Structures are given as C-alpha cells and as structure tokens.
C-alpha cells in the first residue's frame, strides 16, 4: 500500500489470516496516536476485533487526552502480541506481533455503541447480569471508537 513500508524481515511475516487470529484473541494492546504538542501518545487498551468489518473497537471516557487527540488527528496505530511460547529453560521466547495502521472513527449511534460495549465486556466478564448492570449504570457516558485499518503487518519473533 502507498505510504506504508514493506516489512524488512519478510520471512517472518504472518499471513492475513494469522494477523486476524492474533487480533481476535488479543486481550490488550497499545493504541498510539499524536498527542499534545505533536508528541507520541500510547495507551494500553482492551480491544474488540469486529470480525464482520475488520475494525478494532475500544471504549472509554468521552473527555480527556485520548479523545481530544483522536478528534484533532484521527491517525493511529494499534500493536498487540500473543502469549507466545517459552523454551524449557524459560529463555527463548517466540511470539506473534501485529501492528495495525489506520484512522479512528467515533461510534455516535448509541445502540451500536452499547452492542460493541457488550461484546467487549463479554470477553472479560462471563456474567451477563454484571455486564447489563454496568451498561445501565455507565453506558450513556461511554465513548466507543473504531480503528479502521489501512495497513496491517504481522510477524513471528523468536528472541534468543
């Protein structure tokens, strides 16, 4: 794609299917954006990978540095790694990493935002009653937004 570098170590590249699998399983990752004064700003967030549209959804407060930064400049990237595998000595570590480059769009439809919040919460809390109570209590104050992928890279890393 225009404007994005090719991966230097192409032999370690993950297929698009492997990238999607890592994104779908990811419980946490770092969303990076342009913050105050043009400084890089990264936050550790819980994602929800939308299988039907390929977007990565997040939720948080309607106010603050993150939302202000993304409204000013919607360009962002999101980085995740899987749990990986350690060798028998606990030293060499093999894992898969994925970086998604794109732009953020805010979800302004309240019904869609609640559906996304519910799907995200189900990944972390199996108790439907707890989820519904949290949505009832705080759902109206939540800002949901999506990272719309423009370029995705993934690679297998073996640290020795």
């Amino acid at each position: 794609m225009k404007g994005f570098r090719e991966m230097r170590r192409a032999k370690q590249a993950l297929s698009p299917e492997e990238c999607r699998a890592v994104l779908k399983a990811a419980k946490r990752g770092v969303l990076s954006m342009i913050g105050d004064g043009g400084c890089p700003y990264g936050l550790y967030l819980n994602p929800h990978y939308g299988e039907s549209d390929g977007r990565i959804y997040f939720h948080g407060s309607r106010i603050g540095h993150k939302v202000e930064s993304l409204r000013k400049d919607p360009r962002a990237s999101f980085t995740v790694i899987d749990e990986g595998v350690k060798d028998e000595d606990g030293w060499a570590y093999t894992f898969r990493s994925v970086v998604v480059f794109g732009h953020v769009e805010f979800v302004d439809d309240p019904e869609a935002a609640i559906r996304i919040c519910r799907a995200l919460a189900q990944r972390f809390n199996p108790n439907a009653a707890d989820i519904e109570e949290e949505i009832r209590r705080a759902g109206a104050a939540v800002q949901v937004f999506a990272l719309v992928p423009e370029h995705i890279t993934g690679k297998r890393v073996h640290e020795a």
Side-chain angles (χ1 to χ4, degrees):
M1 285 188 145
K2 186 177 179 185
F4 295 101
R5 294 178 183 219
E6 292 298 320
M7 197 160 77
R8 190 172 56 84
R9 294 188 172 185
K11 289 181 182 180
Q12 294 173 273
L14 299 180
S15 69
E17 295 77 22
E18 287 177 293
C19 288
R20 284 191 293 274
V22 171
L23 288 168
K24 183 179 175 185
K27 300 265 187 186
R28 289 162 201 83
V30 176
L31 181 70
S32 299
M33 64 205 85
I34 307 300
D36 291 347
C39 289
Y41 180 50
L43 292 172
Y44 204 51
L45 295 175
N46 299 356
H48 170 67
Y49 178 73
E51 288 188 76
S52 64
D53 61 11
R55 294 176 175 208
I56 302 159
Y57 292 92
F58 307 93
H59 78 296
S61 175
R62 293 183 179 273
I63 58 172
H65 190 178
K66 173 183 66 212
V67 170
E68 291 168 14
S69 296
L70 291 169
R71 288 200 187 276
K72 192 181 305 178
D73 187 339
R75 294 176 298 166
S77 67
F78 184 62
T79 305
V80 298
I81 63 170
D82 69 7
E83 292 184 20
V85 179
K86 291 184 179 182
D87 69 11
E88 61 277 355
D89 296 326
W91 178 253
Y93 194 69
T94 301
F95 63 90
R96 297 176 300 172
S97 66
V98 174
V99 181
V100 179
F101 300 90
H103 68 278
V104 164
E105 293 180 358
F106 289 88
V107 177
D108 294 321
D109 174 6
E111 289 179 18
I114 294 300
R115 275 194 313 274
I116 294 162
C117 283
R118 189 174 285 121
L120 196 148
Q122 288 169 345
R123 299 186 68 213
F124 300 95
N125 184 349
N127 187 318
D130 288 350
I131 293 169
E132 294 309 313
E133 174 59 23
E134 184 67 15
I135 287 172
R136 184 199 63 73
R137 189 181 64 70
V142 170
Q143 177 65 65
V144 174
F145 56 99
L147 178 61
V148 180
E150 295 170 19
H151 184 67
I152 300 174
T153 64
K155 72 177 180 178
R156 186 170 284 92
V157 176
H158 180 76
E159 295 178 336

